[in-house]
Amino acid sequence: MTAISNLLLRNARPDDRVHLLLWDTPNPVELSQITLYNGAQRVSYRENLVQRISPGAKFLTLHHQVDEELEIIKSICDQAVKPVVLLEGLDCLITYLNTQPGDYITLFWSSLENTRKLHRLLWILLPHKLAPKTWSEARIKRIPSTSL
């Protein structure tokens, strides 16, 4: 097993808040190993979003629904059956919010960082470049691209 597959996520504290796993080029095999090693459940935000889009919808207006998307993330934790959730695919929402005029991305990051009382330990998998600059370093794990 590689050092990455032995990455300990399940002991992160505080365990009722959101943590970031920054990894530019995640390998599906290593992701599966991390998931097994930590007793985690992988969940795709992207798939969740696609399931929620109405077939007749002409436009996405997620920037007007930041609070609702935060509630969706909380509900993903509520519905998880394992103690650790590894949320993938949130980069689509973050990229979308980054393209919108206004301060939607700042609102999103601030609200997400201050989210408490999650029912599961939540790790969000993101590329390094999408991580907020103000996020607490104590709640971030970085996997350097060169270690792969």
Side-chain angles (χ1 to χ4, degrees):
M1 221 182 250
T2 66
I4 291 172
S5 60
N6 285 326
L7 185 65
L8 190 60
L9 302 178
R10 65 180 176 263
N11 291 341
R13 297 293 176 260
D15 62 359
D16 69 336
R17 308 221 20 221
V18 180
H19 299 265
L20 301 180
L21 177 59
L22 304 181
W23 191 357
D24 291 333
T25 54
N27 174 314
V29 172
E30 288 177 318
L31 277 174
S32 293
Q33 290 173 339
I34 289 170
T35 302
L36 286 172
Y37 181 72
N38 287 281
Q41 180 175 342
R42 287 172 65 185
V43 178
S44 173
Y45 172 84
R46 186 176 285 113
E47 287 177 18
N48 179 289
L49 177 62
V50 168
Q51 291 171 358
R52 293 184 285 122
I53 295 174
S54 169
K58 294 183 179 182
F59 303 102
L60 280 178
T61 56
L62 298 174
H63 57 292
H64 294 298
Q65 302 166 213
V66 171
D67 289 338
E68 288 90 342
E69 294 308 306
L70 290 165
E71 286 302 317
I72 293 295
I73 293 169
K74 288 179 192 176
S75 74
I76 287 171
C77 288
D78 292 344
Q79 296 167 10
V81 295
K82 297 194 175 180
V84 178
V85 174
L86 182 59
L87 186 63
E88 303 172 65
L90 193 66
D91 55 318
C92 65
L93 175 61
I94 294 165
T95 301
Y96 174 88
L97 292 174
N98 274 326
T99 64
Q100 298 303 308
D103 229 7
Y104 298 108
I105 191 66
T106 303
L107 171 64
F108 173 77
W109 280 125
S110 174
S111 298
L112 190 64
E113 186 172 24
N114 292 317
T115 298
R116 290 178 170 73
K117 299 182 181 177
L118 293 172
H119 292 114
R120 302 287 184 261
L121 178 54
L122 176 61
W123 283 91
I124 297 175
L125 178 63
L126 290 173
H128 288 82
K129 66 183 174 198
L130 292 183
K133 306 289 186 240
T134 58
W135 197 271
S136 169
E137 282 296 321
R139 292 172 33 209
I140 296 177
K141 284 200 186 275
R142 301 173 191 274
I143 299 178
S145 298
T146 57
S147 70
L148 301 174

